[in-house]
Amino acid sequence: MTNLKQAKFTVLPPEDVGNPNLFQQLLEQEKVPVPDRLQSNHPGFTDEDLSVERYSSRWFHELEAEKLWTKAWQMVCRVEDIQKPGDHVVYDIVNQSIIVMRGQDNVIRGFHNSCLHRGRALRMSGGAVNQLRCPYHGFTWDLQGEFKSMPTVWDFKHMSPCELKLPQVKVDTWAGFVFINPDLDAAPLNEHLDVLPEHFKDYSMDRSVSIAHVQRRMACNWKVAQEAFMESMHTRATHPQIMTFTGDVDSQYDMYGDNISRSVTPMAVTSSNLSDVSEALILHDILEESGRMADSDASKHVLPEGMTTREYIGELNRQIFSEASGDDLSQATLAELQDAILYSIFPNTQVWAGYFGNIVYRAIPDGDNHESCLFDVWLLGRYKEGEACPPGAKLNQLPDDLDFSKAPELGALGPVFDQDMSNLDAMTKGLKASKKGTVSLASYQESRIRHHHLTLDKYLGLDK
C-alpha cells in the first residue's frame, strides 16, 4: 500500500480559493429528501469595523455584566448532571451566582445563591444535598426554596417566614440542556431559540447524554473564545492537517433572527485550498484526524471502487450511529451524518447538529475578570429509546497549563482544540496593543461574528 504520509498534493494560493456554494451543490447529490433546514439563509450585513474595546476594555465588560448576563438566556448544565432531588450545580456569571437544583418534586429551579440572613453564599460548589442550609448560622430551606428554619426564632420576629422564600430565576430546558435567565420578565426560552427546536427535531436530542465534559481557563475575553469557532476560514493557518477532508473556505453561513446563527462546513471533501488529493488520503485523514466519525481506525477501511469518501463515510456513520442509538437513519442525509453543522445560541453557546457526534462549546467570563474566561467542551452521545438516561460525564477541569490533548476523552479533537487555543492569549495581547483600534471582518465568512455583535448591541443599548 502507498505510504499516505508521503502523499503528494498541491497547495493553491490562498487568494484564489473558496466556494461558498459547495454545500448546496453537495445537497443536489443526496439520494434522500433534503430537509428545508439545510437551505442557505443569509441576510447580508454592512462591513463596519468593530472597536477592540469590545474585547479589551473594562467598561464594556461592566456593561455586559449589567445588561447582558442579567437579561439573557444562558446554558448552565445538562439535565443528566442533576438527575436526582438535591443534585445541583453552582453557576457563577460575573458577580451573580445561581444554584440550579432539582427539587423533591423533580422540578429544576434556579435560586440566587445568597442567604437571606447575612448574605453568605449557600453553596460554593455543586453536589447533592437534602436541603439548603447556610453554613454560617444555619438558616435552612428545602429543595424547592421554601423556608424551613432559623436559629433563635425569638430574635427574628421582624423577619416573616412567608417572606423568606429563596428568590428564583427563570429556568427551562431544551434538548437536555438546562438554561437560566435572571430576568423574570424575559421572553420564554423557546422564543429565544427561534428555529433551533425545529432544525434539531430529527436528531433525537431528547435522548442525548454527555460522554465527555472538559473545561479550562483561557487568558482571553469570553467573546474571543466564542468567535474562534464561528468561522472556518482560519483552518489553513491554524489546522492545516484537516484540509484534506474539510471544506473550510467552502463553508455556508446562515442567520435566523437575533439569537441563532449557523455555519455548515462540508466534510469528506477536500478544501479548495488543495488540489490533487487522493480519495485514499481523504478517507485515511478523516478517520484518523476528525474525532467525530463513527470509527477512528483508518487501517480497517478501504474505499470500494467507484465510491467517494463522502459516500463511504456517510454510509459508515449511518450504520454505526443507527446501531448505537436504535434509530432508523435510512432517510438521513449524508450532510447530517458527517458535516460540521454548528449552531450558535446567543450569547455564548454553540451546538453541533446532526445525528451523532454533537460537540458543544460554551465560553463564560472568569468571574469579574474581563481578560479571562472559562471554556467548556461537551461531547454528546445517544441512549436508546426506552432506556433510562445514564449518568453524564464528570467534569474534567484542566489546570491552566494543561493542553486539551491531555484529556483522553476528547480523542483526536484534543490536539485540534489546542491549535485553536494557541491563538487566544495572543489575541488578548494583540487587541491591547492595537494601534488601529478596530478589528475588520470578512463580509461573508465572518458574518456570524457580525451577527453576534449586532445582537449584543441590542442588549447593551448600543444599537441606537
Side-chain angles (χ1 to χ4, degrees):
M1 179 181 289
T2 304
N3 186 345
L4 294 175
K5 291 183 179 181
Q6 298 177 359
K8 303 296 184 182
F9 52 81
T10 302
V11 180
L12 302 173
E15 298 85 358
D16 303 331
V17 299
N19 176 13
N21 296 315
L22 176 62
F23 181 66
Q24 291 301 313
Q25 294 166 1
L26 291 170
L27 291 182
E28 294 175 0
Q29 302 171 19
E30 294 280 356
K31 297 178 181 178
V32 299
V34 175
D36 290 342
R37 60 179 173 258
L38 296 181
Q39 299 305 313
S40 177
N41 192 76
H42 193 279
F45 300 117
T46 56
D47 295 322
E48 290 89 353
D49 286 353
L50 301 176
S51 170
V52 299
E53 288 188 295
R54 291 175 166 270
Y55 308 92
S56 62
S57 70
R58 181 71 191 175
W59 73 262
F60 201 89
H61 165 81
E62 292 175 351
L63 193 60
E64 290 176 339
E66 176 189 357
K67 296 187 175 183
L68 174 65
W69 303 117
T70 59
K71 299 289 185 180
W73 282 102
Q74 301 151 59
M75 191 272 283
V76 171
C77 65
R78 296 279 306 165
V79 293
E80 60 266 24
D81 298 330
I82 46 175
Q83 287 188 330
K84 299 176 182 178
D87 289 353
H88 64 282
V89 299
V90 175
Y91 178 67
D92 296 325
I93 185 73
V94 192
N95 293 318
Q96 297 184 87
S97 183
I98 309 297
I99 301 169
V100 179
M101 171 178 285
R102 189 177 292 273
Q104 197 65 48
D105 56 1
N106 212 37
V107 174
I108 300 173
R109 297 178 177 85
F111 305 112
H112 289 277
N113 187 14
S114 179
C115 179
L116 297 181
H117 170 218
R118 294 269 293 277
R120 186 199 193 276
L122 295 171
R123 299 292 298 167
M124 295 302 289
S125 61
V129 295
N130 56 20
Q131 61 184 7
L132 284 171
R133 182 178 184 275
C134 180
Y136 199 175
H137 297 93
F139 277 66
T140 305
W141 291 263
D142 68 16
L143 301 183
Q144 287 72 250
E146 299 288 346
F147 179 70
K148 287 181 64 176
S149 66
M150 66 172 71
T152 59
V153 176
W154 59 267
D155 208 17
F156 289 95
K157 293 180 179 179
H158 55 291
M159 295 180 69
S160 170
C162 65
E163 297 175 352
L164 287 176
K165 184 174 182 177
L166 288 178
Q168 296 188 30
V169 299
K170 296 188 79 166
V171 176
D172 206 345
T173 61
W174 169 75
F177 298 103
V178 180
F179 290 78
I180 65 100
N181 193 326
D183 182 7
L184 297 180
D185 296 322
L189 174 63
N190 195 61
E191 184 176 322
H192 182 84
L193 296 178
D194 203 285
V195 301
L196 205 65
E198 174 66 20
H199 281 207
F200 276 70
K201 67 179 181 179
D202 295 333
Y203 302 146
S204 301
M205 294 293 286
D206 57 320
R207 290 187 282 110
S208 62
V209 62
S210 58
I211 57 178
H213 181 195
V214 181
Q215 181 189 82
R216 192 187 141 190
R217 179 177 288 104
M218 306 305 305
C220 66
N221 182 268
W222 70 275
K223 295 184 293 298
V224 169
Q226 172 87 351
E227 292 166 14
F229 299 89
M230 297 184 84
E231 46 80 16
S232 298
M233 184 175 62
H234 67 278
T235 298
R236 179 170 178 146
T238 302
H239 312 296
Q241 80 282 1
I242 71 172
M243 288 196 298
T244 52
F245 59 87
T246 303
D248 52 341
V249 290
D250 313 304
S251 298
Q252 174 178 301
Y253 296 90
D254 305 304
M255 291 87 208
Y256 306 90
D258 286 339
N259 303 318
I260 306 298
S261 70
R262 177 180 73 180
S263 60
V264 184
T265 301
M267 306 294 283
V269 295
T270 299
S271 165
S272 63
N273 278 295
L274 308 179
S275 66
D276 306 321
V277 179
S278 70
E279 288 287 337
L281 183 59
I282 299 173
L283 178 63
H284 173 274
D285 285 1
I286 194 171
L287 290 170
E288 295 283 342
E289 302 284 351
S290 77
R292 288 186 59 249
M293 300 303 123
D295 193 2
S296 59
D297 186 355
S299 67
K300 297 190 300 185
H301 299 273
V302 177
L303 193 66
E305 187 174 350
M307 195 176 213
T308 66
T309 301
R310 185 171 176 83
E311 292 170 322
Y312 183 83
I313 290 293
E315 295 307 324
L316 176 67
N317 286 354
R318 189 191 309 275
Q319 175 188 344
I320 298 180
F321 291 167
S322 181
E323 292 172 357
S325 66
D327 294 331
D328 178 6
L329 302 183
S330 59
Q331 294 302 300
T333 61
L334 297 178
E336 293 166 293
L337 288 165
Q338 63 191 304
D339 289 339
I341 306 174
L342 177 59
Y343 285 77
S344 288
I345 308 169
F346 184 88
N348 65 329
T349 301
Q350 301 190 58
V351 184
W352 288 49
Y355 291 94
F356 220 80
N358 310 87
I359 311 171
V360 181
Y361 310 124
R362 183 188 67 182
I364 62 174
D366 179 19
D368 199 25
N369 184 353
H370 67 287
E371 295 182 345
S372 179
C373 71
L374 299 178
F375 185 78
D376 290 84
V377 178
W378 286 264
L379 305 183
L380 303 184
R382 300 289 187 279
Y383 57 95
K384 294 182 179 180
E385 190 168 3
E387 295 181 353
C389 178
K394 292 189 176 182
L395 171 62
N396 180 1
Q397 277 184 302
L398 298 176
D400 296 357
D401 60 349
L402 196 65
D403 290 341
F404 279 92
S405 57
K406 301 302 182 183
E409 61 266 50
L410 295 179
L413 292 170
V416 178
F417 290 143
D418 288 336
Q419 290 174 322
D420 286 308
M421 301 310 162
S422 69
N423 292 317
L424 301 191
D425 58 350
M427 284 289 298
T428 300
K429 182 175 183 177
L431 287 166
K432 292 170 70 173
S434 173
K435 178 67 173 176
K436 178 182 175 182
T438 60
V439 298
S440 301
L441 301 176
S443 299
Y444 182 69
Q445 293 181 92
E446 293 175 317
S447 55
R448 289 178 67 208
I449 299 174
R450 173 81 60 192
H451 177 258
H452 182 257
H453 282 270
L454 288 171
T455 301
L456 180 59
D457 280 355
K458 293 180 181 180
Y459 273 84
L460 302 186
L462 300 176
D463 60 326
K464 306 297 190 290

